[in-house]
């Protein structure tokens, strides 16, 4: 057994343990940290499979941006995890059935669609180009329309997220920046002339009494 196979089994074991801890950790922050470990271990496995572009993209996009942002949001919001765990065991059987069905479907697709013996051999010119350039050529030629559709869907999701964030709430107070910019100097300060009024002095109580 060579060193690559040993590293593959080691990284696969770490990936399985960290993935299991993502859904079983009691702390939300710990679950996010285990998810970061899962992503990093998956990128190491992709490096062993000589998929350098996917490994670097996983580290930069998911670990460097998405997960760090998710971790900061979780720490700032201070979520109540006890209320989120209510009904976990109630929905566990349905979730287990759905998860098993998804795993079964993926197994059928992967076992029937990825036959290494039937894979075409790369030519000398393709080997010199490298995996990243070949992947870019394949995406922007054979899979250009699916890529554009995915980009449009992501754009719609971003616009929807911004629209949900900027929606008006009855219990929030906000100022319109455009209306603030339109204010002139005369509208910022208004001088009002009023007649002076002098309050009458209070009368001292009269002293009196019987001698």
């Amino acid at each position: 057994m060579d060193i690559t196979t040993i590293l593959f089994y080691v990284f696969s074991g770490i990936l399985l343990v960290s993935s299991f801890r993502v859904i079983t950790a009691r702390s939300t922050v710990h679950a996010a940290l285990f998810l970061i470990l899962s992503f990093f271990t998956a990128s190491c496995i992709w490096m062993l499979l000589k998929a350098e572009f996917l490994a670097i993209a996983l580290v930069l996009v998911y670990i460097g941006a998405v997960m760090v942002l998710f971790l900061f949001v979780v720490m700032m919001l201070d979520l109540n995890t006890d209320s989120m765990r209510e009904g976990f065991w109630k929905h566990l059987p349905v979730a287990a059935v759905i998860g098993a069905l998804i795993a079964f479907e993926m197994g059928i697709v992967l076992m029937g669609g990825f036959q290494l013996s039937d894979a075409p051999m790369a030519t000398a010119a393709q080997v010199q180009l490298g995996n990243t350039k070949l992947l870019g050529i394949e995406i922007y030629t054979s899979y250009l329309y699916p890529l554009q559709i995915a980009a449009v869907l992501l754009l719609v999701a971003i616009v929807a997220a911004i629209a949900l964030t900027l929606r008006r709430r009855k219990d929030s107070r906000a100022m319109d920046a455009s209306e603030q910019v339109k204010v002139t100097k005369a509208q910022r300060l208004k001088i009002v002339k009023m007649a002076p009024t002098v309050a009458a002095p209070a009368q001292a109580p009269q002293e009196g009494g019987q001698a």
Side-chain angles (χ1 to χ4, degrees):
M1 185 178 293
D2 56 352
I3 187 63
T4 303
T5 306
I6 296 175
L7 289 177
F8 176 79
Y9 284 111
V10 170
F11 290 147
S12 300
I14 297 174
L15 179 59
L16 291 175
V17 173
S18 59
S19 302
F20 181 75
R21 289 295 297 159
V22 169
I23 60 176
T24 58
R26 300 185 63 87
S27 175
T28 310
V29 177
H30 292 171
L33 293 176
F34 278 114
L35 187 57
I36 292 176
L37 178 61
S38 302
F39 285 150
F40 185 79
T41 309
S43 66
C44 293
I45 295 176
W46 280 346
M47 289 291 290
L48 292 177
L49 298 176
K50 297 181 180 180
E52 300 86 1
F53 176 77
L54 296 178
I56 297 301
L58 183 62
V59 172
L60 294 179
V61 177
Y62 286 93
I63 300 178
V66 177
M67 281 310 305
V68 174
L69 179 61
F70 177 74
L71 186 59
F72 274 108
V73 170
V74 169
M75 295 176 65
M76 287 189 297
L77 291 181
D78 192 13
L79 299 175
N80 186 8
T81 56
D82 294 333
S83 61
M84 297 175 60
R85 288 194 178 94
E86 293 180 356
F88 174 78
W89 297 107
K90 178 181 178 181
H91 302 290
L92 181 61
V94 179
V97 172
I98 295 176
L101 181 61
I102 293 174
F104 177 72
E105 293 176 352
M106 290 182 62
I108 293 176
V109 173
L110 293 177
M111 287 187 297
F114 290 90
Q115 299 292 337
L116 297 179
S117 58
D118 299 336
M121 297 298 295
T123 61
Q126 292 177 345
V127 172
Q128 292 180 356
L129 290 177
N131 293 332
T132 304
K133 191 169 184 178
L134 288 176
L135 181 62
I137 294 174
E138 190 69 19
I139 289 177
Y140 287 99
T141 53
S142 301
Y143 299 96
L144 180 60
Y145 290 112
L147 178 66
Q148 296 297 326
I149 294 174
V152 171
L153 292 177
L154 290 176
L155 180 60
V156 171
I158 293 173
V159 173
I162 296 175
L164 291 175
T165 305
L166 298 179
R167 63 181 178 178
R168 294 185 179 273
R169 295 175 52 186
K170 297 180 180 179
D171 57 345
S172 63
R173 297 181 179 180
M175 301 184 69
D176 193 354
S178 61
E179 296 295 334
Q180 290 181 331
V181 174
K182 296 177 183 179
V183 175
T184 60
K185 181 180 179 181
Q187 294 175 342
R188 293 184 182 274
L189 178 62
K190 186 176 182 180
I191 301 177
V192 180
K193 185 177 181 180
M194 300 178 63
T197 57
V198 179
Q203 297 181 356
Q206 296 181 356
E207 296 181 358
Q210 297 179 359

